[in-house]
Amino acid sequence: MHPAFSVIFFTVFSGVGHGLLALMGLFVALGVLPAAKWLGVVGLGLGFAAVSAGLLSSTWHLGHPERAWRAFSQWWTSWLSREGILATATYVPLVLTAWGWLVEGSLEGPFGVFACILILFCLLTVHSTGMIYATLRTIRAWHDRMTVPGYLCFALLNGALWFHAISQMFGYQTPEIALAAIIGLFLTFYIKRKYWRSIDTIPGPATPESATGLGDMGRVRLLEPP
């Protein structure tokens, strides 16, 4: 399989951006980190840039990018549409959280609520991205119960690593941030390992006999792999 570069770019940067924003909102809302201005400028700015770059790149592999807006109208049946709506809607709590952090200097009161909404929207967006692939019954390796947890874990891991680097840069490193990165690493390894084992051990829906219609004649031996 050779996926388009835009698909890889979107998956990586969207996961990083949403993971970073969710963790930053969580740690500051809980009071683990202070709402330091430059920490917020760099962290929220990088998260915003990563999410925006990923969202824009998602239109590159469309046959008609100018029609991308039509995907928003299929939200009741399409996970792709839900992902686009959630990713776009995430900007609202992001702006409100950034206002509380950078202007008010605190994520207390209503701004804490906006931060919680931001965390929720980030998780739902990554969940929707995973569901796009997990619901494709035609591809057995994607139609797996570990697909969505894998997307969420990679977003947590990558976001935590970026968050760890940014907090170190401004001298706000805490054991909790390092712990988040460690948990993300081991959880991602566990889920990915479990996913690989799942697709290696679960038999596919088709066999050489059923695919060729020659099952009544006995076992079918392939001359060459498909």
Side-chain angles (χ1 to χ4, degrees):
M1 181 176 294
H2 301 281
F5 175 76
S6 57
V7 175
I8 300 174
F9 186 93
F10 164 75
T11 303
V12 173
F13 277 83
S14 178
V16 167
H18 286 105
L20 175 61
L21 292 174
L23 287 172
M24 291 192 68
L26 175 65
F27 276 65
V28 176
L30 292 178
V32 178
L33 284 178
K37 182 176 181 179
W38 284 108
L39 175 65
V41 168
V42 174
L44 296 178
L46 283 176
F48 172 83
V51 170
S52 300
L55 192 60
L56 289 174
S57 72
S58 66
T59 64
W60 295 348
H61 54 273
L62 297 178
H64 295 277
E66 71 278 3
R67 302 177 187 173
W69 63 271
R70 295 185 179 179
F72 290 90
S73 64
Q74 307 300 317
W75 60 269
W76 64 90
T77 57
S78 170
W79 280 103
L80 178 63
S81 179
R82 294 165 188 164
E83 176 201 45
I85 292 174
L86 286 168
T88 305
T90 300
Y91 287 107
V92 176
L94 172 57
V95 170
L96 294 174
T97 301
W99 181 273
W101 189 328
L102 304 178
V103 178
E104 301 296 331
S106 173
L107 289 184
E108 298 179 355
F111 294 108
V113 176
F114 297 144
C116 292
I117 297 175
L118 172 62
I119 297 168
L120 177 63
F121 272 48
C122 287
L123 294 177
L124 289 176
T125 302
V126 177
H127 175 271
S128 298
T129 303
M131 286 298 295
I132 293 173
Y133 301 95
T135 53
L136 293 177
R137 296 179 180 271
T138 53
I139 303 179
R140 185 177 66 88
W142 292 350
H143 187 60
D144 189 275
R145 60 190 178 89
M146 289 290 104
T147 298
V148 173
Y151 271 82
L152 290 169
C153 286
F154 271 107
L156 168 64
L157 172 60
N158 292 326
L161 291 176
W162 279 36
F163 189 23
H164 185 274
I166 295 169
S167 61
Q168 285 276 14
M169 185 187 308
F170 289 96
Y172 292 108
Q173 172 61 10
T174 66
E176 290 84 357
I177 298 177
L179 182 61
I182 294 172
I183 291 175
L185 177 63
F186 281 96
L187 191 59
T188 302
F189 175 80
Y190 171 77
I191 293 296
K192 194 65 177 180
R193 179 66 177 170
K194 194 170 183 179
Y195 165 75
W196 282 332
R197 182 171 179 80
S198 174
I199 62 176
D200 285 343
T201 56
I202 297 178
T207 64
E209 291 77 20
S210 65
T212 59
L214 302 175
D216 294 339
M217 301 177 64
R219 182 175 178 273
V220 175
R221 183 171 62 88
L222 297 178
L223 178 64
E224 292 183 356

